[in-house]
C-alpha cells in the first residue's frame, strides 16, 4: 500500500540533513523569513526528534542574525566558523545580515518623512447643551501617534470640556474629555 500524497509531502518536509545544512538552506531560500520558517517546521513536526532538529536550526539562524551586532569574532562559534570556511572554499557567498541597519540610511529615512496635517478641536457645552467648537487649530506631525502626543500636551482654552483630533478627511483619531484628566 502506497502512502497518500499529503502524507508523503509531510514526510519529505520532516526529513532533514544536519541542522547547519538546513539552516543554510533556509537562509538561502527564505532570507529574512528563515527563522520563522524553521519555527513553523518545528511546530508542524510529527515526531519530537524532528521538532528538536528544527528548534536547533532556528537557534542557529537566530545566532547568525544576532552575530551582526557587536564583535563578530567573539560571538561566532566554532561550528559557524567551519560552515563559513567551507562556504568560502565552495565559492558560496556569505550569509545575509538580517538586522543590519546603516545609521546614515536610517537618518535619511527619518529626515525624508513628510509631515501630515491634523485638525485639533477643543469643544465646550453650547447654549443648546450640545458640543460647541471653541477653538480649532492645525497640528503638523509625522504620523497619527505623534499628533496624538501633541494633542495630549496642548494647552486647553477656558471652558473647554474636551478635545478631538481629526485627520484631513474628517475622521476622528483621538478624543479626550476633561473629566478623563482627573
Amino acid at each position: 500500500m502506497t502512502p497518500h500524497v499529503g502524507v508523503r509531502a509531510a514526510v519529505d518536509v520532516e526529513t532533514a540533513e544536519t541542522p547547519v545544512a538546513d539552516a543554510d538552506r533556509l537562509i538561502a531560500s527564505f532570507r529574512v523569513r528563515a527563522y520563522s520558517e524553521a519555527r513553523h517546521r518545528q511546530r508542524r513536526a510529527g515526531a519530537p526528534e524532528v521538532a528538536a532538529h528544527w528548534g536547533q536550526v532556528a537557534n542557529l539562524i537566530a545566532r547568525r542574525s544576532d552575530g551582526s551586532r557587536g564583535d563578530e569574532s567573539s560571538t561566532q562559534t566554532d561550528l559557524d566558523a567551519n560552515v563559513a570556511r567551507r562556504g568560502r572554499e565552495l565559492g558560496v557567498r556569505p550569509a545575509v545580515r538580517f538586522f543590519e541597519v546603516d545609521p546614515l540610511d536610517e537618518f535619511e529615512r527619518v529626515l525624508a518623512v513628510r509631515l501630515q496635517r491634523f485638525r485639533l478641536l477643543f469643544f465646550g457645552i453650547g447654549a443648546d447643551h450640545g458640543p460647541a467648537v471653541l477653538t480649532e487649530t492645525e497640528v503638523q506631525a509625522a504620523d497619527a501617534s505623534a499628533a496624538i502626543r501633541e494633542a495630549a500636551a496642548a494647552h486647553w482654552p477656558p471652558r473647554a470640556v474636551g478635545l478631538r483630533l481629526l485627520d484631513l478627511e474628517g475622521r476622528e483619531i483621538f478624543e479626550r474629555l476633561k473629566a478623563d484628566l482627573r
Side-chain angles (χ1 to χ4, degrees):
M1 183 173 156
T2 61
H4 187 269
V5 175
V7 173
R8 178 71 183 147
V11 171
D12 287 341
V13 168
E14 291 184 2
T15 58
E17 301 172 21
T18 65
V20 174
D22 283 338
D24 290 339
R25 187 168 37 89
L26 287 180
I27 289 171
S29 300
F30 292 95
R31 298 214 179 266
V32 177
R33 293 184 23 247
Y35 177 81
S36 61
E37 178 64 23
R39 288 296 181 198
H40 177 72
R41 290 181 184 192
Q42 181 185 15
R43 286 188 301 274
R44 268 192 350 203
E49 299 84 23
V50 176
H53 170 82
W54 287 112
Q56 289 175 341
V57 171
N59 289 338
L60 281 171
I61 293 169
R63 193 175 319 133
R64 288 181 188 176
S65 64
D66 287 342
S68 65
R69 298 182 186 128
D71 184 22
E72 191 165 307
S73 62
S74 65
T75 60
Q76 193 174 31
T77 64
D78 292 337
L79 184 62
D80 289 338
N82 290 339
V83 170
R85 194 175 317 109
R86 185 175 34 144
R88 281 193 295 271
E89 291 169 1
L90 296 174
V92 177
R93 63 187 176 138
V96 176
R97 298 284 182 208
F98 297 115
F99 303 110
E100 199 171 278
V101 176
D102 182 26
L104 187 57
D105 289 342
E106 181 66 12
F107 181 65
E108 288 175 357
R109 185 192 66 77
V110 168
L111 290 179
V113 171
R114 299 195 64 201
L115 295 179
Q116 299 175 27
R117 295 183 341 198
F118 299 90
R119 290 180 17 217
L120 179 59
L121 308 172
F122 286 96
F123 59 92
I125 304 295
D128 60 351
H129 300 290
V133 176
L134 300 175
T135 307
E136 181 175 342
T137 59
E138 185 176 287
V139 174
Q140 290 190 354
D143 58 7
S145 62
I148 290 170
R149 284 191 298 273
E150 281 192 43
H155 176 71
W156 288 59
R159 299 182 303 129
V161 295
L163 69 82
R164 284 193 182 114
L165 185 65
L166 309 172
D167 62 9
L168 282 183
E169 283 100 33
R171 294 181 300 226
E172 181 180 313
I173 59 171
F174 180 71
E175 179 180 71
R176 174 174 275 173
L177 300 175
K178 202 170 226 177
D180 295 340
L181 299 176
R182 295 183 184 152

